[in-house]
Amino acid sequence: MTHTPPAAPAGPVTTLLVANRGEIARRIIRTCRTLGVATVAVHAPGEEDAAHVHEADTALRLTVPEGRGPVDAYLDPHALVAAARASGADAVHPGYGFLSENAAFARAVTDAGLTWVGPSAEAVEQMGSKTLAKKVARDAGVPVADALDPADVRAEHLPVLVKAVSGGGGRGMRVIRDLAGLAAGVEAARTEAASAFGDPAVFCEPYVERGRHVEVQVLADRHGTVWALGERDCSAQRRHQKVLEEAPAPGLPERIRRRLHRAARDLASAIGYTGAGTAEFLVPVTGDGLGEPVFLEMNTRLQVEHPVTECVTGLDLVEWQIRIAEGEPLPADGPPAPRGHAVEARLYAEDPREDWRPRTGLLHTFDVPAATAGFTPLTGPGVRLDHGVRTGDTVGTDFDPMLAKVIAYGRDRRDALRRLSAALAGARLHGVGTNRDLLVRALRHPDFARAHHRPEGLHTGFLTGDRLTELARPLADGATERLAALAASLASFEASRGGGTLPAGIPAGWRNLPSAPHLRRHTTSDGREITTAFRSVRGAHLPEQEGVRVLSATSDRAVLEVDGLRRAFDVYRTAPDRRGPQGAEGPEVFVESALGPVALRVLDPLPEPEATVDPGALPAPMPGTVTAVDVAAGEEVREGQTLLRMEAMKMEHRITAPAAGTVRELPVAAGERVPAGASLAVLDYTDPDSGPAPAADSGSDGHHVEAAPHDEGLEQ
C-alpha cells in the first residue's frame, strides 16, 4: 500500500517541550539533560510544585477551560503549540497518554514548523482506529483476528470481546458470553468509550480465554530502516490493565518470536512508520503450548513498559526518538541482541480490600532503597525507579493512580524476579494504600516463576478469580500485625519517656499503679482493633505475648525475639490528622520489617463523640467529579441499582444502592466536583434494618462502588 513519506526533519533539536506530566515527563527530561537539549515543562494550575516542573529548564502553566478538570489542560493541541512558541521550543515530545496518539496534535505541531518527536500524523490516523488498523495489518500480510459488528454476533461467535474502536487500557471493553447480555454489554462499552475517548464506536472480536499478550518494540528511521527491537510479555493483567511486563517474553518458541518480529516490521513498513512504536499481539495458550499469534493493535507512541526493552538492549529509546526526529539513521549493523532479562511492575495507589478502589491522600514516605538508577537505562544488573511522586506529595483524583514503575534487570529471569520482588518488599510506602503486596506475591508465585519452562502457566487470566484474591492478601499476616503493634507501642513509650515535663523527683515512665500493664490500642488498615500490653520493670519491657521477648527498644525501632528468632521492626509515626476509623483519631504508624509492612492508627483512649450520621446518606468514597446521575428524587430503587457515577483517577465509579428503598435527596448534579465524604444521595430503605453496616474505615461507606479499569492511554 502507499503511504505519505515522513516530513523532512527541521534540523537539530535545541529546546524540547514535553506535552505531558509526571513520571513520563521526568523520563524525557532526564534524557534531554544528557543530550544537552533544553526542556520546557507544562502544567495545570495547582501543579506548580510538581517534580517535572522543577526539573525542566523552563515551565509554563496551561489554562483549564471553565467547568473542566486539570486533565483538560493537557488536551488542547492549540494551547500546547502556543506554549511551545511562547517558550522558544523547536520540538514537541508527547510522551504517552493525553494527546500522544492524536493525529490532529501531530499535524498542528508540524504545521507550526516544529519538530514532532513521533510518527507522522498519517501513521497515527491509520493505527488510531482499531478496525482500520486491522485492515491495514491484513493488507500487509499480518495475521489478524476478525472484527465483527455487534449486530452480526451470533451464538457460534461466543465468547466475544466488545472493544472501543479508539483508545485503550481496558476502557470500553466487555466480555460477552451469552447473547442475552450482548446489548447491555455493548451499550456499557459505548458509554465508557464515549466518556474516555470521545468516540462511542465499538466492535467485537473473538475472546481468547487464555492467551499471552506479547508486543514487539519497533524503531524506524526516516530512511526506510525498521528494527524489531525485541518483544515484551504483558500477560499479567488485571481487568485488561497491564500490571507486570518483561523482556524477553519467557518461554516463547523461536518460530513464534520470528513471526512476531517479522509481522511488526511489515506493519511499520506498510505505513511508513518513523520513531518508536509497539505492535501488540495475542498468542493463544493451548493444551500443548502456544498457538499462532494474531495482531491486536499498534500504539504509535512510547509505551509505559519501554524500560524493560532499554535494559536488555542497552538503548535509550527516548534518545533515539529524538535522533530519528532529527533525521539520523539507525546504525547499519542492525539492532542489538537482547542480553539478560528485565521485569517491570506498575505500582498503583489502590486498595485491594475495597475492590481496588483508587486511594488518595498525603504520601508521608515514598522510598525504594534498592533502586540503583532512575529514568535512565541500567548499565548492569540492578533496580531502576521511574516515578512521578515524591515524599510529601498529595495523591489526588485528577490523574491516573500509577505512582511509579519499578524495574529490575538481571543476568537471567530468575535473577530479575528476585531483585524486583525484594525491591518492592523493601519499599517504604506510607500514607496511601498500594498494590505492592499483590506485585510481590505475583512475582514469587510458582506459575509466574516457571513461565520460562512452562509458558502456558502465564496468560491474561493469571490475575483473576481465587488466585487474584490470594495474591492480593497483605504480606503481613495477623501474627505480624500483632508484633508490629507491640513494636509501635514500645516505640511510643520510649518516645514519651523523654518528651514530657514531669515534677521534680518523678522518673520518666513512672506509674502510680506499677502492677498494671501499659496498654496501647491500634486499628489496622481494614479497621480491626489490636490491643497490646507490656510491663516495664527496672528498664526492661515484658510483653504479654507468649514467646516474645524485647531485646531493645527506641523511639523508632524495636528488636524482638520471637520464638527464638531475632526480628527488627522500624517504626514511623505521623502527626495526628483526626481522620480514620471510628475512634481512631491519633497519628498513623507504619511499621516495617522483613515479615511485611503494617499500617496502624493509634486509637485515642478518650475519643470525642462522633457526629450523628443519617443512616440513609451515601457519602462520596473519594474526591472526584460526578459524571452522571441515573435516578431522580422520589424514585424507588432496587438493591444494586446504579444511582450515579463518578470519575476519579481516570476511572469510572458507579455508586449503587446497598438495599431497596426510595431516593429522598440527590444533592449533587452531573459535572459537579465533590470532596471525599460529601453526600451524594440519601435513601429511605424499604426495610430499615437492611441499610448499610456501620463504616469499618474511612474508605468504607456501606454502599457499593464499582470501578472500571484504569486507562493506559491516560496513565500518568
Side-chain angles (χ1 to χ4, degrees):
M1 65 178 292
T2 60
H3 57 79
T4 303
V13 172
T14 61
T15 304
L16 180 77
L17 181 137
V18 184
N20 219 293
R21 65 177 299 281
E23 165 264 325
I24 186 57
R26 300 182 74 186
R27 165 72 188 89
I28 296 165
I29 290 169
R30 181 64 61 87
T31 287
C32 287
R33 187 177 300 138
T34 64
L35 292 177
V37 174
T39 54
V40 179
V42 292
H43 64 90
E47 291 191 297
E48 287 77 9
D49 198 40
H52 76 282
V53 173
H54 284 274
E55 290 169 1
D57 298 299
T58 305
L60 190 148
R61 185 177 68 179
L62 301 170
T63 59
V64 177
E66 186 176 353
R68 307 301 294 271
V71 68
D72 293 285
Y74 296 91
L75 298 178
D76 185 342
H78 302 294
L80 291 166
V81 170
R85 284 175 162 163
S87 62
D90 50 25
V92 174
H93 194 305
Y96 55 68
F98 295 140
L99 297 178
S100 62
E101 294 181 278
N102 185 292
F105 183 37
R107 194 169 282 116
V109 169
T110 55
D111 287 349
L114 305 173
T115 298
W116 170 252
V117 183
S120 68
E122 290 75 20
V124 173
E125 282 176 331
Q126 290 185 79
M127 294 294 104
S129 163
K130 292 185 181 68
T131 50
L132 177 58
K134 284 176 178 287
K135 181 182 183 303
V136 173
R138 185 178 290 109
D139 291 344
V142 176
V144 177
D146 292 333
L148 298 170
D149 187 294
D152 296 332
V153 174
R154 301 291 180 265
E156 59 268 23
H157 298 136
L158 299 175
V160 296
L161 181 64
V162 183
K163 297 180 69 173
V165 169
S166 303
R171 300 295 295 273
M173 297 176 70
R174 293 293 187 280
V175 178
I176 306 299
R177 301 184 185 280
D178 60 79
L179 292 178
L182 178 62
V186 168
E187 182 58 30
R190 282 177 173 155
T191 300
E192 195 169 273
S195 173
F197 316 121
D199 181 3
V202 299
F203 68 99
C204 296
E205 65 183 17
Y207 179 65
V208 178
E209 297 281 1
R210 291 162 56 89
R212 291 278 296 274
H213 187 127
V214 182
E215 58 190 32
V216 178
Q217 176 68 61
V218 170
L219 202 58
D221 64 20
R222 294 172 175 270
H223 309 279
T225 300
V226 179
W227 282 0
L229 201 59
E231 79 288 335
R232 300 183 286 257
D233 190 291
C234 309
S235 301
Q237 304 177 6
R238 190 185 65 79
R239 292 177 179 171
H240 308 295
Q241 173 65 40
K242 298 170 186 175
V243 176
L244 297 169
E245 302 105 345
E246 56 184 308
L252 198 66
E254 190 58 33
R255 63 176 182 82
I256 293 180
R257 192 186 312 274
R258 288 196 299 267
R259 186 171 186 184
L260 291 174
H261 290 192
R262 182 175 63 252
R265 288 194 302 268
D266 290 347
L267 179 60
S269 296
I271 61 174
Y273 197 85
T274 56
T278 299
E280 300 194 346
F281 300 86
L282 186 65
V283 183
V285 174
T286 62
D288 55 355
L290 302 178
E292 293 303 310
V294 292
F295 171 74
L296 291 176
E297 60 183 292
M298 185 172 188
N299 296 131
T300 54
R301 55 171 167 83
L302 196 67
Q303 289 281 89
V304 177
E305 56 272 22
H306 75 275
V308 295
T309 296
E310 293 185 323
C311 286
V312 299
T313 62
L315 298 178
D316 184 326
L317 292 182
V318 174
E319 177 180 342
W320 272 106
Q321 283 185 297
I322 296 172
R323 292 188 181 281
I324 288 171
E326 293 175 325
E328 184 172 331
L330 290 167
D333 53 359
R339 49 182 175 74
H341 200 92
V343 187
E344 173 181 295
R346 301 190 188 191
L347 190 64
Y348 289 113
E350 58 187 8
D351 190 348
R353 291 190 179 100
E354 289 291 321
D355 195 28
W356 305 92
R357 186 184 302 175
R359 294 319 241 172
T360 60
L362 178 63
L363 198 57
H364 298 293
T365 307
F366 181 85
D367 183 27
V368 183
T372 57
F375 305 104
T376 57
L378 291 165
T379 57
V383 175
R384 166 176 165 177
L385 177 65
D386 288 15
H387 54 113
V389 296
R390 302 159 299 174
T391 294
D393 284 351
T394 296
V395 179
T397 60
D398 292 312
F399 302 102
D400 189 275
M402 190 176 78
L403 301 176
K405 306 178 310 195
V406 186
I407 307 101
Y409 174 54
R411 294 180 296 276
D412 52 30
R413 188 170 186 266
R414 183 176 64 177
D415 184 25
L417 292 179
R418 182 168 53 196
R419 290 176 186 271
L420 182 55
S421 62
L424 289 165
R428 293 193 287 269
L429 311 169
H430 302 159
V432 176
T434 72
N435 67 332
R436 181 261 302 277
D437 294 2
L438 166 73
L439 298 173
V440 174
R441 288 192 183 277
L443 290 165
R444 293 173 176 173
H445 192 278
D447 286 349
F448 193 86
R450 290 194 297 259
H452 185 73
H453 304 290
R454 296 183 64 251
E456 67 278 4
L458 176 60
H459 50 79
T460 51
F462 180 75
L463 294 177
T464 57
D466 292 342
R467 175 183 283 164
L468 177 61
T469 302
E470 176 66 18
L471 293 178
R473 286 188 302 109
L475 292 174
D477 58 16
T480 299
E481 289 177 331
R482 290 188 292 274
L483 292 171
L486 173 60
S489 299
L490 293 167
S492 176
F493 176 83
E494 291 296 329
S496 67
R497 285 166 63 93
T501 301
L502 300 173
I506 298 179
W510 177 86
R511 314 191 76 200
N512 64 352
L513 188 60
S515 61
H518 298 277
L519 297 177
R520 297 288 192 279
R521 295 165 60 221
H522 296 86
T523 54
T524 61
S525 56
D526 61 351
R528 289 175 291 109
E529 184 176 327
I530 299 176
T531 300
T532 57
F534 63 91
R535 289 178 171 82
S536 294
V537 181
R538 297 184 181 88
H541 299 307
L542 307 175
E544 295 186 354
Q545 287 180 239
E546 187 176 353
V548 179
R549 189 162 67 96
V550 179
L551 300 182
S552 65
T554 65
S555 60
D556 57 8
R557 184 178 174 88
V559 180
L560 309 178
E561 185 179 271
V562 184
D563 296 328
L565 300 176
R566 182 185 183 278
R567 302 286 191 185
F569 296 82
D570 292 310
V571 181
Y572 304 83
R573 286 184 300 276
T574 67
D577 64 2
R578 312 299 292 180
R579 295 179 299 164
Q582 300 174 31
E585 302 183 3
E588 287 182 285
V589 182
F590 303 96
V591 184
E592 302 283 349
S593 75
L595 298 174
V598 177
L600 301 167
R601 193 180 283 270
V602 179
L603 273 173
D604 191 332
L606 297 173
E608 296 178 2
E610 293 189 353
T612 301
V613 178
D614 189 324
L618 303 182
M622 67 198 74
T625 301
V626 177
T627 56
V629 178
D630 298 281
V631 295
E635 182 176 337
E636 293 185 358
V637 295
R638 66 184 182 280
E639 180 180 350
Q641 181 176 339
T642 298
L643 305 177
L644 53 90
R645 284 165 277 170
M646 292 178 59
E647 183 176 279
M649 286 186 168
K650 308 318 300 173
M651 296 175 67
E652 182 183 77
H653 305 267
R654 295 175 179 266
I655 311 300
T656 62
T662 303
V663 180
R664 187 202 314 164
E665 297 177 26
L666 278 171
V668 297
E672 185 174 341
R673 291 173 64 83
V674 296
S679 179
L680 300 177
V682 183
L683 303 183
D684 289 322
Y685 297 107
T686 303
D687 178 358
D689 295 328
S690 65
D697 61 42
S698 59
S700 178
D701 42 54
H703 55 289
H704 182 54
V705 182
E706 295 180 351
H710 317 137
D711 173 19
E712 179 187 348
L714 287 176
E715 199 158 56
Q716 305 305 321

